[in-house]
Amino acid sequence: MSLLIKGGEIVTGAEHYIADIYCEHERITHIDRSIDPPAGAEVINASGKYVFPGFIDPHVHIYLPFMGTFSKDTYETASKAALVGGTTTMIEMVCPARGMSAAEGFRLWQEQAAGKSACDYTYHMGVTRFDEENAKQLRDIVAAGISSFKIFLAYKGAFGIDDAELYHTLKLAKELGVIVTAHCENETLVAERQKELLAAHLTGPEQHHESRPPRVEAEGVHHLMTFAELTGAHVYIVHLSCDEALREALAARHRGVNVSIETLIQYLVLDKTDAERPEFEGAKFVMSPPLRDKRNQPVLWNGLSNGEIQTVATDHAPFDFKAQKPMGRDDFAKIPNGIPSLEDRVNLLYTHGVKTGKLDLHTLVNVASTNAAKTFGLFPSKGAIQIGADADLVIYDPEYRGKISAKTQLMNVDYSAFEGWEIEGRPDVVTVRGEVAVRDGKFVGTIGRGKMLEREPAHF
Ligand code: URP
Ligand code: ZN
Ligand code: ZN
């Protein structure tokens, strides 16, 4: 099977030019101003459209036992949604319960994906307990191709680790050349503030952000920076939401800490007033760290365009509004945390970033694809349009106009946080290693074709 994409405007993190792309045996084999169609090749006319490298979402949850329930997507539903939204590679968090060994967790998460994904995927290995047995297993997991860890400084009593575990996880990561992704919030402050609010009968979804104000996140970042500085580990702050936290991270980077930063599409386009909607509707917008005051949005957009922030992810964690969010109807601390957006990330970034002039096209590609590929050992197979790269391509139609709705989305969840929002542009055709997986914006791919990507640790 071979594919010729003709006349599109190729846009990478560094260049843009009009050319044809020929793909064979899953890879890009030829790029030229004009390529004659070889016999038997499928030809796609991309004139008037952009051709981007497949987008990468470096932070998703698909199988997630969390807060007494399970997130709703399967690899089948999530990978279809990802592809329709232009994401061709997902990095999922393995989040074992504290009582589960790392090896069991890794096996369990792989079982969820095996034979069910239409797009490629890999994992960040959650370290939810650190002891000698787990350390040995973590070494094996790294040797098996998982070159990043995930830790939580939040979720006391669930995924959270203590400071001794944090220290030893970072030391192991440094030794192995593994990057450590981290959820940064001070879990003691969160727990104590939740207790105070509930004792005062302040129980609604709008209290969620009161329990986790910006300083709680900034303190979590400061804490991680101290440990990263002393161990020399490369760390990656997931879902950074606010100015205060960014300042802590940048101050640490300035003094030499090796820190990469991720923000989320939700923080760029939603704000805390969404979580204050009446009649419990605010529960749709409960996630951690919480949605912030709007004043943070220009800080995050600027951080992306000036290179302070490396990636935009989704932290996709879908919980139904009707059946799952009400677990916290009388207690905001029990509302399952997460705002689904795997399908919408690229279109929202394009509509609210590129079309408004906040991001140029190269920055869009960098923050939604190339930087994640480079940071997590996938580049240049992923995140690039060059000879030899995997033929993961997004032919993007900038003229498309449409609306987001839960009624039409492929994510398996009963609401959209962006219901009725207009989008300006969408992926028209998406390929996964040379096979067309989306055509005319519709999924036409193959469940089970997606493979787990093995990644090498960085060499120090
Ligand atoms: O609210 C969130 N972020 N839910 C998913 C779990 C996590 O913290 O990443
Ligand atoms: Zn998190
Ligand atoms: Zn997450």
Side-chain angles (χ1 to χ4, degrees):
M1 180 179 46
S2 65
L3 185 66
L4 179 63
I5 298 170
K6 279 200 81 67
E9 183 172 351
I10 296 170
V11 183
T12 68
E15 300 176 294
H16 64 107
Y17 54 98
I18 293 179
D20 298 350
I21 303 176
Y22 185 61
C23 313
E24 207 177 10
H25 306 305
E26 305 198 345
R27 299 233 163 101
I28 296 171
T29 55
H30 195 183
I31 303 174
D32 216 326
R33 288 191 69 140
S34 180
I35 303 174
D36 291 332
E42 173 175 358
V43 181
I44 295 179
N45 177 7
S47 61
K49 307 206 169 105
Y50 297 122
V51 184
F52 296 125
F55 292 99
I56 299 171
D57 191 335
H59 183 171
V60 305
H61 300 274
I62 299 168
Y63 175 66
L64 180 63
F66 186 47
M67 300 183 75
T69 187
F70 289 84
S71 58
K72 284 288 306 295
D73 268 316
T74 61
Y75 258 85
E76 188 166 334
T77 58
S79 62
K80 284 183 181 176
L83 284 166
V84 164
T87 293
T88 53
T89 300
M90 314 183 283
I91 313 187
E92 196 195 6
M93 306 287 176
V94 176
C95 297
R98 202 175 156 83
M100 189 182 278
S101 72
E104 278 176 283
F106 185 43
R107 199 174 321 118
L108 179 59
W109 260 257
Q110 284 177 280
E111 280 166 16
Q112 309 306 312
K116 299 190 194 93
S117 187
C119 68
D120 290 348
Y121 59 93
T122 177
Y123 300 104
H124 301 301
M125 182 61 217
V127 182
T128 49
R129 188 183 79 217
F130 191 93
D131 56 26
E132 260 183 41
E133 185 204 8
N134 256 11
K136 155 115 199 23
Q137 295 178 359
L138 289 168
R139 287 175 187 277
D140 294 341
I141 291 166
V142 172
I146 302 303
S147 58
S148 47
F149 292 159
K150 169 69 187 287
I151 54 169
F152 293 89
L153 306 190
Y155 305 134
K156 213 178 176 104
F159 302 135
I161 53 173
D162 67 25
D163 280 353
E165 292 174 307
L166 170 60
Y167 183 64
H168 292 292
T169 302
L170 293 183
K171 279 184 60 166
L172 178 66
K174 170 71 181 168
E175 180 200 323
L176 299 178
V178 162
I179 183 169
V180 180
T181 71
H183 176 137
C184 298
E185 287 181 297
N186 181 300
E187 58 182 0
T188 306
L189 284 171
V190 172
E192 295 309 309
R193 290 177 70 88
Q194 285 175 335
K195 276 191 236 158
E196 283 169 6
L197 288 160
L198 293 169
H201 307 290
L202 297 168
T203 59
E206 69 284 359
Q207 301 304 326
H208 179 70
H209 52 75
E210 300 298 334
S211 70
R212 320 170 93 101
R215 195 42 60 191
V216 165
E217 183 183 345
E219 206 289 319
V221 170
H222 183 85
H223 200 75
L224 180 75
M225 294 303 99
T226 304
F227 282 65
E229 187 170 352
L230 292 175
T231 56
H234 182 186
V235 291
Y236 173 99
I237 299 166
V238 299
H239 50 41
L240 183 134
S241 71
C242 60
D243 188 25
E244 289 85 338
L246 181 61
R247 282 165 195 259
E248 292 289 350
L250 294 178
R253 186 182 282 163
H254 192 67
R255 60 179 195 267
V257 175
N258 191 1
V259 54
S260 305
I261 304 170
E262 166 195 286
T263 190
L264 304 182
I265 189 62
Q266 294 92 323
Y267 301 133
L268 292 164
V269 297
L270 301 170
D271 67 79
K272 69 177 190 175
T273 60
D274 289 303
E276 291 165 357
R277 293 192 196 183
E279 310 293 334
F280 198 64
E281 212 200 325
K284 291 177 179 171
F285 302 89
V286 165
M287 66 175 301
S288 296
L291 297 179
R292 300 298 188 191
D293 189 285
K294 239 183 164 27
R295 73 174 168 83
N296 292 284
Q297 290 178 348
V299 175
L300 299 177
W301 285 113
N302 287 340
L304 289 166
S305 68
N306 68 22
E308 290 170 351
I309 300 176
Q310 280 62 59
T311 58
V312 178
T314 60
D315 193 9
H316 179 69
F319 296 101
D320 273 342
F321 179 57
K322 287 212 180 80
Q324 292 177 295
K325 294 278 184 180
M327 293 166 69
R329 185 167 273 286
D330 303 319
D331 175 352
F332 68 87
K334 297 199 170 90
I335 298 171
N337 285 200
I339 304 179
S341 52
L342 176 59
E343 194 166 337
D344 306 312
R345 175 184 65 131
V346 174
N347 290 333
L348 289 170
L349 258 184
Y350 184 79
T351 303
H352 294 272
V354 175
K355 292 292 286 187
T356 60
K358 294 188 190 84
L359 298 184
D360 63 33
L361 283 170
H362 303 297
T363 307
L364 170 83
V365 170
N366 280 326
V367 301
S369 176
T370 308
N371 289 350
K374 288 181 174 166
T375 305
F376 295 114
L378 293 166
F379 190 83
S381 300
K382 307 293 189 192
I385 298 183
Q386 63 186 52
I387 289 165
D390 284 359
D392 292 355
L393 297 164
V394 175
I395 303 178
Y396 199 83
D397 180 1
E399 300 303 326
Y400 177 84
R401 297 291 177 269
K403 279 192 181 164
I404 297 175
S405 174
K407 291 194 193 79
T408 49
Q409 71 192 6
L410 298 185
M411 298 181 291
N412 183 33
V413 63
D414 70 354
Y415 78 98
S416 170
F418 317 103
E419 187 66 43
W421 285 32
E422 309 234 333
I423 48 160
E424 303 185 17
R426 72 154 188 202
D428 188 24
V429 172
V430 179
T431 68
V432 175
R433 283 179 280 108
E435 184 184 284
V436 175
V438 172
R439 209 186 281 281
D440 293 329
K442 304 273 180 304
F443 177 77
V444 294
T446 309
I447 297 300
R449 184 151 187 283
K451 66 175 187 196
M452 190 187 97
L453 303 168
E454 294 179 12
R455 298 174 291 125
E456 292 278 320
H459 301 290
F460 285 95

